[in-house]
Amino acid sequence: MPVQDNLPPGVSEALREYRTITTIPVQWGDMDAFGHVNNVVYIRWLESARVDLLDSVTSEVTMATGGIGPILASVHCDYKRQLHFPDTVHIGSRTERIGRTSVDVEHAVFSQNQQAVVAFGKSVLVVFDYAANRPVRIPESLRAGFEDK
């Protein structure tokens, strides 16, 4: 899937290997007492990026309540540079590994102002049957969608 064409200079090149790009403005309230974007904000940004990645694939795994859906097993973020208001971040997301019931998702957080990746993240999603309360095998439609890069 090609990266969006309407991105600011530098973004497409820096995130060309990612399946989806999520654009989020940095808000004044995202900063903490140290004057930079708080670490928790990055985790929320990764969440939005994961949802965009899942929405890019047609599958019976949905964000709707009940049924088969994703559940977060772990999330990790390595911070490389500080971010400040005002700025806009562009978060690239792609699948790294597709297992039997889980998918590892890689993220890169790119600062428009700094023209650099300021953080790398990793999320592990499990396909979960909420009615049965257990993980289930990744449906072929989701697997095929993730493998179709």
Side-chain angles (χ1 to χ4, degrees):
M1 173 180 290
V3 171
Q4 297 98 320
D5 293 329
N6 58 344
L7 293 167
V11 178
S12 294
E13 179 62 24
L15 301 177
R16 71 180 174 279
E17 299 295 322
Y18 291 85
R19 181 183 179 96
T20 59
I21 298 176
T22 304
T23 300
I24 301 173
V26 175
Q27 303 292 314
W28 173 260
D30 292 340
M31 293 190 301
D32 61 20
F34 298 107
H36 58 236
V37 173
N38 186 273
N39 61 303
V40 173
V41 174
Y42 289 79
I43 302 303
R44 279 191 266 131
W45 291 342
L46 297 183
E47 177 181 54
S48 294
R50 282 192 310 274
V51 171
D52 284 351
L53 180 64
L54 285 168
D55 283 347
S56 76
V57 177
T58 302
S59 167
E60 58 270 29
V61 177
T62 69
M63 297 301 297
T65 58
I68 305 294
I71 193 166
L72 184 65
S74 72
V75 64
H76 177 86
C77 190
D78 289 322
Y79 308 95
K80 301 300 180 187
R81 294 180 174 201
Q82 294 182 49
L83 272 177
H84 305 278
F85 173 86
D87 200 346
T88 299
V89 293
H90 305 276
I91 303 143
S93 300
R94 65 183 175 200
T95 55
E96 174 189 37
R97 181 198 64 85
I98 304 171
R100 191 178 77 73
T101 61
S102 65
V103 176
D104 293 354
V105 178
E106 290 183 334
H107 308 280
V109 180
F110 182 87
S111 162
Q112 189 168 306
N113 286 354
Q114 297 181 47
Q115 288 292 295
V117 173
V118 296
F120 290 100
K122 183 173 179 178
S123 303
V124 178
L125 293 174
V126 173
V127 177
F128 199 76
D129 182 335
Y130 283 89
N133 199 34
R134 64 178 181 82
V136 295
R137 180 177 293 278
I138 295 173
E140 285 307 312
S141 59
L142 183 61
R143 183 180 301 278
F146 281 150
E147 289 173 348
D148 177 33
K149 298 176 183 179

